[in-house]
Amino acid sequence: AVDPGRPGESSVLPRRREESVSGDEPQAKRPRFRNYLPDSPSLREFFQPPALPPAPAAESNPYAAELERLDRDDDGAVTIVPKDPTWDLKRDLDPKLALLGRRTQRSIVDLIRARLRATDDD
């Protein structure tokens, strides 16, 4: 059938289901179960195992040889060390602690000077 809505174009529309089978009754759609196995024995014949993705070719990965070497050399231990859970607190408090450290040192020096003055007066 030609699409009459667009003059000058002769795009062919898909046939209707009734027209697709020459004179016969239209075929009913068959259910396909890909995600689970139906409980009903009459529906189990329509079960299809899920499709698996194709295996990647070794040539497609430029790091395949290095990964294989690392797998052979790996002793099974994970060498990734997580970040300290309090790293953000340390980052935020370091400037304040530095200021407090300087004030503490100055106070200690003042206390020592006061003791020295007290011993000199005696």
Side-chain angles (χ1 to χ4, degrees), residues 13-87:
L13 294 176
R15 293 182 182 174
R16 290 187 178 165
R17 187 173 282 175
E18 295 87 28
E19 296 174 353
S20 64
V21 179
S22 59
D24 296 341
E25 296 219 2
Q27 294 179 347
K29 278 192 163 184
R30 294 174 35 141
R32 289 180 280 182
F33 299 100
R34 292 189 188 120
N35 296 328
Y36 65 95
L37 182 62
D39 291 333
S40 171
S42 63
L43 293 176
R44 285 187 183 192
E45 66 183 66
F46 299 114
F47 175 73
Q48 294 179 348
L52 298 175
E59 301 85 33
S60 65
N61 188 355
Y63 305 107
E66 182 68 18
L67 288 173
E68 287 177 18
R69 185 189 66 77
L70 289 174
D71 284 342
R72 283 192 311 262
D73 295 343
D74 191 17
D75 60 352
V78 178
T79 57
I80 299 174
V81 177
K83 204 173 223 185
D84 183 23
T86 58
W87 66 271

